[in-house]
Amino acid sequence: MSAVAPDDRRAYRAAVERRRARRGFAIAAASTVVVVGGLTALAVSSPGWDSVRDTFFDREAFTTAFPDVLQGFWLDVKLFVLVEIAVLILGLVVALARTTKAPALFPVRAMLVVYVDVFRGVPVILVVYLVGFGIPALELSGLPSDPLVLGAIGLALSYTAYVAEVYRAGIDSVHPSQRQAGLAVGLTGAQTLRFVVLPQAVRRVLAPLLNDFISLQKDVALVAILGPQEAFRVAQISASSTFNYTPLLAAALLYLAVTIPLARVLDHMQKRSRSR
């Protein structure tokens, strides 16, 4: 009885895997069609569907409001980018200060612990509200009064606390032997932190950082409570003037156009991390 060649076994296994993948894809597609079709049929056949369609899915209202909502959305994007840059820098500074062991910096570490605990515990909308209306109420010269700047400060204060803890978790996850190895080859403590510890720490927390980016991109809409005409505010004004909520759907679609690609990038990064 002749033995089966290794190449033949590999080809057979590959063919089995391909058939299994095709069968799995067909089952997933069929189940998706059944579920989505069932939910769609349930919504369309409901007694109030005509009213919902006219209120939330009006094509004319969407076409009329979309250009103004899109213009407001660019303000969201610019604010998100600026706040995210500030959060990445400030969060790293806070994390490094909290991980230092220098006795002279104990008061700084204590204040940063209080800062992180407070701003992670208070809802972001409350922080934006307090900063946006509290700072102008002080009537001190030199303090910002632009609602957009104040909203950015409130968002940065809240998200810096979250991102600092993500950074700190990454730094703590690097084994102490890595730092010792850097010192052993002649690097200074600062050089070891910069070239050995931080690259490993940041690489490990990329996925959680991206998750915070997605949350921040949505929470940028909170600056609307201070008055800036960003996408949500523009859609809200249009909806209140026409009693049709389709402009809010237009704003939601614009946010999804940013958050869904970011979510897929996050999934890809997590899959790569698991495979490694």
Side-chain angles (χ1 to χ4, degrees), residues 39-54:
L39 292 176
T40 302
L42 179 64
V44 172
S45 62
S46 61
W49 168 248
D50 291 338
S51 176
V52 170
R53 181 188 58 199
D54 295 338

Side-chain angles (χ1 to χ4, degrees), residues 8-181:
D8 294 337
R9 288 199 297 268
R10 283 195 291 267
Y12 176 76
R13 285 197 296 266
V16 170
E17 289 297 328
R18 285 195 297 269
R19 288 197 298 270
R20 184 178 301 170
R22 287 196 295 267
R23 185 169 61 251
F25 178 79
I27 294 173
S31 62
T32 301
V33 170
V34 170
V35 172
V36 174
L39 292 176
T40 302
L42 179 64
V44 172
S45 62
S46 61
W49 168 248
D50 291 338
S51 176
V52 170
R53 181 188 58 199
D54 295 338
T55 305
F56 291 94
F57 302 101
D58 186 273
R59 180 179 299 179
E60 182 178 353
F62 184 93
T63 304
T64 302
F66 188 78
D68 293 333
V69 176
L70 179 61
Q71 184 177 358
F73 185 69
W74 289 122
L75 178 61
D76 286 89
V77 173
K78 289 186 288 187
L79 186 60
F80 161 70
V81 172
L82 293 175
V83 173
E84 187 56 48
I85 292 173
V87 166
L88 285 173
I89 296 172
L90 295 175
L92 183 59
V93 171
V94 172
L96 292 176
R98 287 200 62 187
T99 55
T100 183
K101 304 298 183 182
L105 294 179
F106 174 78
V108 175
R109 291 197 299 272
M111 288 188 294
L112 290 177
V113 169
V114 174
Y115 160 73
V116 170
D117 288 345
V118 169
F119 282 93
R120 283 200 306 167
V122 177
V124 179
I125 190 172
L126 270 180
V127 176
V128 172
Y129 196 91
L130 293 173
V131 172
F133 294 107
I135 290 181
L138 295 175
E139 298 182 357
L140 295 176
S141 60
L143 293 179
S145 58
D146 187 339
L148 196 60
V149 175
L150 294 171
I153 292 174
L155 290 171
L157 286 172
S158 290
Y159 273 88
T160 295
Y162 288 101
V163 170
E165 288 301 279
V166 172
Y167 275 133
R168 192 166 70 94
I171 293 172
D172 289 343
S173 70
V174 178
H175 197 274
S177 62
Q178 297 294 305
R179 190 185 301 268
Q180 296 166 3

Side-chain angles (χ1 to χ4, degrees), residues 203-247:
R203 187 166 57 248
R204 294 180 182 186
V205 298
L206 280 177
L209 283 177
L210 186 56
N211 204 33
D212 285 333
F213 296 171
I214 295 172
S215 297
L216 175 60
Q217 197 277 326
K218 295 181 295 182
D219 283 344
V220 165
L222 296 177
V223 302
I225 64 175
L226 304 180
Q229 300 292 307
E230 51 80 49
F232 173 73
R233 186 67 171 174
V234 172
Q236 191 179 37
I237 292 172
S238 178
S240 62
S241 62
T242 61
F243 298 101
N244 188 293
Y245 298 104
T246 304

